[in-house]
Amino acid sequence: MSESTDPAVPADQSGPAGQIAAGYAFTGPALDLGALLWDGACLPDRQIRIPLAMLNRHGLVAGATGTGKTKTLQLIAEQLSAGGVPVFLADIKGDISGISAPGTADGRIDERARDVAQPWEPTGYPCEFYSLGGIGPGIPVRSTVTSFGPVLLSKVLQLNQTQEQSLGLIFHYADTKGLELIDLKDLRAVVAFLVSDRGKPELKGIGGLSTVTAGVILRALTAFEQQGASEFFGEPEFDTGEFLRTAADGRGLVSVLELPAASDKPQLFSTFLMWLLADLYNDLPEVGDLEKPKLVFFFDEAHLLFKDASKAFLASITQTVRLIRSKGVGVFFVTQTPKDVPADVLAQLGNRVQHALRAFTPDDAKALKATVRTFPNSAYDLEELLTQLGTGEAVITVLSEKGAPTPVAATRLRAPQSLMGPIEAADLERAVKSSLLWSRYAEPVDRESAYERISAEQAAAEAQAEAAAAAAEAEKQAAAAEKEAARTARSAPKPDPSLAEQVVGSGLFRSLARSIGTQLGREISRSIFGTARKRR
């Protein structure tokens, strides 16, 4: 990075090359990108730069595979760090960790430094290394399911619009009931509860959750877990404010998210990067335009984020990118062609670094024409130039200090001063374990949340039901025992009658008893009715 009130621009600014170079003669702090290419020659006295204050106006780094995009990120990150600006980088291929170590001079670097008038000096930069929830080396970065939210989760689960709306309803219910969704088992427990006999009435007033949709969501969660996503969701939840730190010497900290171990989970890490950005947006205060950004965030493999995205998801991205600028954060999307980025997002990317494109197929040619149309009018034949650029060369246009686009400039880029490749695995492990953040985030914590609460309530309900069933069974058995006793009493054999019982039971005794009873009855009757007995 350079700062000068008298930029190194040649006095003769006539001709296209001079006019282009004049557009990059900034007076304030700026990053040095490289030297102008014109008419097949590299012009070291005509430097191409980008104002530091304009880095929060977002940008795009694009180009075919192997054209030098990663080295461009490294070059910009180094100068931002040197200027006291923290940087976030996603290391998908595993070759950015070298930014923490000084580079090694060789013939190619010496030649590049001479070509672009670069005072190259091997330099390492302060770094922290992170991993996606502990997948691979690095300080684990985790999020709770609640923080991740239904829109992002729907994207990573590849749900359709109806299923996304249902997932939003599930989150709404969990929020209103104070059910914390920390990890995926919490979410699964809530989904299963809401389609159970006990849970169905809970959502009647707000639409309900169909069993079919719940089944789709549960199956998607299962597949998601099998990809290792359960590692990412949990606690302790990562504080994205850690990305805003500077080193003791005042240089910006370079936060490198190591993703090689998660490279087969593109939907997960691209959506995760969006969560990091959204979390920063939610937490940071409004600051307006600053002399330098609080953070510059490089969003690698951006096409994965936008592929098959719902309207709600795209709207959320567009709003975040539009508004996060005023919170002091610049975002650079890194992808192959500008057409990978939706028009509403692309319109907000004022700084452009376009590496070479290929035109081997009709689709390639179509993408090339679309890319050319996204640039301002140029003195170059961009359609031809973009197919002829070498590795480490790019077409650049940025925003000037006044916010106006600079002339399009073909540029031979400077060489990074740090190691252009990965550091040794042992060195990476040592850097991770020696970080002060390791003890804070390394060990996962599983506290009581929705799963435990629902399980406890379910166990209590089952115990109550079992007690009621046991009482009913006991009552049933008592009634059966009583009935059996009565039946046994009725069927028991009668004992032989005694002599008195035999006399009383004889026919003579019964006849005599009837006679006496009739007379006695008459007496009693009378007595009762008050009539006197007649005498003879």
Side-chain angles (χ1 to χ4, degrees):
M1 189 181 76
S2 65
E3 180 173 4
S4 174
T5 56
D6 184 22
V9 179
D12 180 11
Q13 296 181 0
S14 61
Q19 292 171 7
I20 292 171
Y24 293 85
F26 310 124
T27 58
L31 309 188
D32 296 306
L33 299 179
L36 180 68
L37 289 171
W38 180 258
D39 198 21
C42 182
L43 309 177
D45 59 344
R46 302 179 190 268
Q47 293 290 306
I48 304 303
R49 309 155 76 227
I50 177 171
L52 186 59
M54 291 293 108
L55 266 296
N56 72 330
R57 301 300 178 92
H58 310 321
L60 176 74
V61 178
T65 301
T67 56
K69 295 193 299 294
T70 301
K71 299 301 178 283
T72 298
L73 303 188
Q74 194 168 341
L75 172 66
I76 296 175
E78 288 178 354
Q79 296 190 61
L80 285 168
S81 175
V85 179
V87 179
F88 174 89
L89 293 169
D91 186 7
I92 294 173
K93 298 190 292 289
D95 54 2
I96 297 182
S97 60
I99 196 171
S100 63
T104 303
D106 59 26
R108 289 180 302 173
I109 289 178
D110 292 341
E111 181 182 2
R112 176 60 60 100
R114 285 194 301 271
D115 285 348
V116 300
Q118 177 186 7
W120 190 89
E121 185 177 330
T123 310
Y125 295 84
C127 290
E128 289 276 20
F129 298 99
Y130 299 96
S131 66
L132 195 63
I135 304 174
I139 298 161
V141 177
R142 301 183 186 90
S143 166
T144 64
V145 172
T146 293
S147 293
F148 204 73
V151 175
L152 286 173
L153 193 58
S154 295
K155 172 65 168 63
V156 79
L157 294 179
Q158 302 180 39
L159 303 181
N160 62 30
Q161 184 176 358
T162 299
Q163 294 155 0
E164 180 179 338
Q165 291 170 347
S166 295
L167 188 61
L169 191 64
I170 294 164
F171 272 74
H172 172 73
Y173 172 78
D175 291 342
T176 56
K177 295 297 182 180
L179 294 171
E180 291 190 87
L181 303 178
I182 292 176
D183 51 27
L184 292 179
K185 73 176 184 297
D186 290 323
L187 180 57
R188 189 187 296 104
V190 174
V191 175
F193 169 74
L194 290 175
V195 292
S196 68
D197 292 338
R198 289 178 55 238
K200 283 180 181 178
E202 295 285 334
L203 294 182
K204 272 190 175 179
I206 51 176
L209 176 66
S210 76
T211 304
V212 173
T213 299
V216 171
I217 293 173
L218 289 172
R219 287 193 295 274
L221 286 173
T222 299
F224 193 36
E225 284 182 301
Q226 289 173 347
Q227 295 177 14
S230 55
E231 300 266 353
F232 166 61
F233 291 100
E235 288 184 322
E237 186 172 37
F238 185 74
D239 179 3
T240 51
E242 307 285 9
F243 296 150
L244 304 176
R245 294 178 297 140
T246 55
D249 59 6
R251 291 185 297 173
L253 200 64
V254 181
S255 298
V256 182
L257 180 67
E258 290 294 323
L259 289 172
S263 60
D264 59 340
K265 305 171 181 62
Q267 288 287 348
L268 173 59
F269 72 68
S270 65
T271 311
F272 162 76
L273 293 178
M274 193 63 227
W275 170 74
L276 290 178
L277 199 58
D279 194 68
L280 285 164
Y281 167 73
N282 290 331
D283 290 349
L284 291 174
E286 294 279 343
V287 294
D289 289 326
L290 302 173
E291 292 183 359
K292 61 183 180 181
K294 285 186 173 182
L295 173 73
V296 175
F297 190 104
F298 289 92
F299 206 123
D300 209 352
E301 299 291 341
H303 65 282
L304 297 172
L305 180 71
F306 301 111
K307 183 180 179 182
D308 300 326
S310 68
K311 289 183 179 180
F313 188 74
L314 290 176
S316 297
I317 295 173
T318 304
Q319 181 182 29
T320 301
V321 173
R322 184 175 67 250
L323 298 179
I324 203 170
R325 178 186 68 79
S326 63
K327 299 193 174 190
V329 176
V331 183
F332 274 72
F333 290 95
V334 185
T335 187
Q336 294 196 357
T337 71
K339 73 181 184 65
D340 292 334
V341 181
D344 288 345
V345 177
L346 189 63
Q348 300 176 55
L349 310 182
N351 303 300
R352 303 278 297 280
V353 180
Q354 177 67 59
H355 288 267
L357 291 174
R358 310 303 180 205
F360 299 141
T361 69
D363 285 344
D364 291 342
K366 185 177 179 181
L368 175 61
K369 291 180 181 293
T371 298
V372 171
R373 288 197 297 269
T374 65
F375 278 89
N377 290 333
S378 166
Y380 298 91
D381 180 350
L382 288 181
E383 194 167 334
E384 180 181 358
L385 177 62
L386 286 173
T387 61
Q388 296 177 349
L389 291 171
T391 301
E393 297 178 344
V395 170
I396 292 174
T397 179
V398 302
L399 293 180
S400 71
E401 293 167 310
K402 296 181 180 179
T406 59
V408 175
T411 307
R412 182 163 295 165
L413 298 167
R414 293 188 171 208
Q417 299 186 126
S418 56
L419 182 64
M420 288 189 280
I423 60 175
E424 294 293 333
D427 294 334
L428 177 58
E429 185 75 12
R430 191 179 307 111
V432 171
K433 296 291 179 64
S434 63
S435 170
L436 296 176
L437 301 183
W438 177 255
S439 60
R440 189 179 308 172
Y441 295 108
E443 289 300 320
V445 177
D446 188 10
R447 62 183 175 87
E448 184 182 72
S449 49
Y451 171 80
E452 287 79 13
R453 284 185 55 184
I454 291 174
S455 297
E457 292 172 5
Q458 180 70 21
E462 290 175 357
Q464 186 177 1
E466 288 176 3
E473 182 63 23
E475 185 177 347
K476 180 179 178 182
Q477 290 179 359
E482 185 178 348
K483 183 176 180 181
E484 179 62 22
R487 187 186 67 78
T488 302
R490 287 195 301 271
S491 61
K494 296 180 179 179
D496 294 336
S498 63
L499 177 61
E501 288 171 335
Q502 292 178 22
V503 171
V504 170
S506 66
L508 176 63
F509 182 81
R510 286 196 298 271
S511 177
L512 178 62
R514 281 195 298 272
S515 175
I516 295 173
T518 298
Q519 296 299 323
L520 182 59
R522 290 173 181 164
E523 291 288 332
I524 294 173
S525 297
R526 285 195 293 267
S527 297
I528 292 177
F529 287 106
T531 61
R533 185 176 58 187
K534 293 181 179 177
R535 294 188 184 272
R536 290 181 187 271

